[in-house]
Amino acid sequence: MIELKQRVFSGVQPTGNLHLGNYLGAIARFAELQNSHECIYCVVDLHAITVWQDPASLAHNTREVTAAYIAAGINPQDHIIFNQSQVAEHAELAWMFNCTARIGWLNRMTQFKEKAGKNRENASVGLYAYPNLMAADILVYRATHVPVGEDQKQHLELSRDIAQKFNNDFSEQIADLGYNDGFFPLPEPLITGPATRVMSLRDGSKKMSKSDPSDLSRINLTDDADTIAKKIRKAKTDPEPLPSETDGLKGRPEAENLVGIFAALSGASADEVLRTHGGAQFSSFKQDLVNLAVEKMGPIGAEMQKLMDDTAHIDAILGDGAARAREIAAPVYAEVKKIAGLIA
Ligand code: AMP
Ligand code: TRP
C-alpha cells in the first residue's frame, strides 16, 4: 500500500500591497509549520493574472512576496519557495480539473462573485476557473494541509470536492495502480489563530484587503514605523473603553479587530489581551499596539527591503525551489495521465 505523507502547501498572490492580514492570517502561520511538516510555499503568479497585472509590477510583486516569505522566517533550503508559473504541471493538472469540477460548483464561489462584481460578462474565464487551478496547486503535490485565512475556506472545500470526484471517477484505474485510499488526499484547511480574518482599519465590517483604495485601511508589510503608528492612531474605534472579556466585544467590530491584531502579534489569545487591557481607553491601548506592531513588523519590513536590493538572489531561490517542486509534481502528474488514459 502506498501511504500519503503529511505535506503543507499554500500560496499568496503577487498582487501588491502585502498587508498585516496576509501576514497574520497566512505567512506567519506558514513559518510556524516548518518544524513539524514538509512545506511548499508558492507565489501564485498564474492566479494573479486572472485580473489584469502590469508585467513590470507583476515581476516586482512576485519578488516581494518571496522576500516576505523569507523575512517571515521561512527557510528556502529546508522547504520549498517558488513561483507557480515555473512549474507547468500546475496548469496541466488545472486543465484536468476543469473537466472534473462542475459549472454548478463554481457558480457558488463567493470570491468570484465579489471580484467579478456587476460586470460579470467582462470577467476573464481564468477568474471563473481560478478555484480549479487552486485545487491543482495543492493536489499536484498531493498536499494534505493548507494554511490559509478564513476567506479561502470555500475554495478549500471545492478542492476537497474535486479530489473526491477524481478519486471516484477513476476509482478502478487508481486501485489498479496500487492506491488503496484514493489517489488524491482530501486536503485539510488550517485556519487557526486569533487573526484568520483581519478587518480594515477604517471599517470593521470589511476585511483588510490589498485592493482597498484607502492605504489607511491596511498596514503594509513595507510600511515604516511612522506610517504604522499613524495608521493605528487613525484606526476607527468606538467611544467605550475596552471590555474585560471577549463577550464584551460583540457588536464592536473595530474593537474586536484591534484586540485580535494585538493578540496575534503578541502570541496571546484575545481573552489574555483583555485580561491585561480591559478597561483601557483606546488612546492608551493604541499606543501599546503601535509599540508592539513596530517591534514585530518593523524588522520584517526592513529585511524585505534588504532582500529586494538583490533580485538575482531572490530569482535564484525561486529557480531552485521550482526545480525541487517539479521533482515532486512531475511524477504525480505522470500518474494522473496514466490514470486518465492519456498516453505519455
Ligand atoms: P491573497 O492576498 O488573496 O493572495 O491572500 C493570501 C493569504 O492571505 C490567503 O491565505 C488569505 O486567506 C490570507 N488573507 C488575505 N487577507 C486576509 C485578511 N484580511 N485576514 C486574514 N487573512 C487574510
Ligand atoms: N486563492 C488564494 C488567495 O487568494 C491563493 C492560492 C492560490 C492558494 N493557490 C493556493 C492558497 C493553494 C492555498 C493553496 O489567497
Side-chain angles (χ1 to χ4, degrees), residues 10-27 30 44 47 69 111 115 130 147-153 195-200 206-210:
S10 196
V12 173
Q13 299 187 63
T15 39
N17 295 336
L18 269 183
H19 54 69
L20 188 64
N22 296 128
Y23 179 72
L24 296 177
I27 300 173
F30 297 0
V44 288
H47 278 94
Y69 283 172
Q111 185 170 299
K115 282 200 178 178
Y130 177 114
V148 281
E150 169 72 34
D151 61 347
Q152 295 303 309
K153 196 167 173 218
T196 56
R197 188 173 173 82
V198 176
M199 307 310 278
S200 157
K206 286 201 306 198
K207 79 176 177 186
M208 187 176 283
S209 146
K210 291 167 172 172

Side-chain angles (χ1 to χ4, degrees), residues 8 10-12 22 25-34 39 41-42 69 74 147-148:
V8 165
S10 196
V12 173
N22 296 128
I27 300 173
R29 304 276 88 72
F30 297 0
E32 287 168 5
L33 288 161
Q34 291 183 99
C39 301
Y41 295 127
C42 189
Y69 283 172
I74 298 167
V148 281

Side-chain angles (χ1 to χ4, degrees), residues 11-16 18 27 30 41-45 58-76 80-84 86 221 300 303-305 307-308 310-322:
V12 173
Q13 299 187 63
T15 39
L18 269 183
I27 300 173
F30 297 0
Y41 295 127
C42 189
V43 187
V44 288
D45 47 10
L58 180 63
H60 172 87
N61 292 335
T62 299
R63 294 183 179 116
E64 193 167 271
V65 176
T66 310
Y69 283 172
I70 298 167
I74 298 167
N75 182 326
I80 294 178
I81 295 178
F82 74 109
N83 60 309
Q84 188 183 25
Q86 289 206 54
L221 298 193
I300 294 175
E303 180 64 16
M304 280 173 69
Q305 199 107 49
L307 288 160
M308 288 298 281
D310 188 354
T311 54
H313 176 60
I314 291 191
D315 293 1
I317 287 173
L318 291 173
D320 170 67

